[in-house]
Amino acid sequence: MGFQKVARLADIPKGGGLRVRIDEIDVGLFCVEDQVYAMENRCPHAGVPLSEGRLEGCVIYCRSHGWDFDVRTGFRPGESDGFPIPCFPVRIEDGDIFVDIAQPNNLGRRRRPPPAED
Ligand code: FES
């Protein structure tokens, strides 16, 4: 699998995201200061596509109930622990965007389950 071409840089709207389908995964592409970030496109609250939200800086606000996520990390702002939305590596070549969904950037940062009680 590896990196797959999914869109053109010019296709990503300012202040929002671009929804693309990569194999069976719905992915949102977000542009922040000339960097592109790819994040699974499903809000964990009720499944609304996050690419339809409002992007302010590096934070996407879900259009449905306003939950917010940092598109660089998949975490809610100010959080660095817990269960981030999967984010994927991105490459840009001559205005084409390539994403590798096989290697999420951030899933190794999930919280470990609490120790079992005696
Ligand atoms: S569906 Fe995203 S905040 Fe409710």
Side-chain angles (χ1 to χ4, degrees), residues 16-111:
L18 178 69
R19 184 180 193 174
V20 296
R21 190 98 178 154
I22 307 174
D23 296 333
E24 294 306 312
I25 298 184
D26 192 7
V27 174
L29 300 177
F30 306 92
C31 189
V32 179
E33 296 177 359
D34 297 330
Q35 294 287 317
V36 173
Y37 298 92
M39 187 171 76
E40 201 168 292
N41 201 29
R42 185 177 185 280
C43 179
H45 181 218
V48 168
L50 289 166
S51 60
E52 297 175 4
R54 184 182 80 254
L55 184 69
E56 290 184 14
C58 57
V59 176
I60 187 78
Y61 292 85
C62 180
R63 70 164 167 79
S64 199
H65 310 97
W67 284 22
D68 49 354
F69 300 93
D70 188 323
V71 299
R72 301 170 304 176
T73 64
F75 285 105
R76 301 201 69 187
E79 292 184 4
S80 59
D81 196 7
F83 296 90
I85 298 173
C87 296
F88 306 104
V90 174
R91 273 200 333 232
I92 303 174
E93 294 173 11
D94 297 327
D96 292 324
I97 299 171
F98 297 80
V99 177
D100 183 357
I101 59 167
Q103 304 287 339
N105 291 332
N106 58 348
L107 294 190
R109 297 166 64 188
R110 284 188 173 183
R111 181 181 1 222

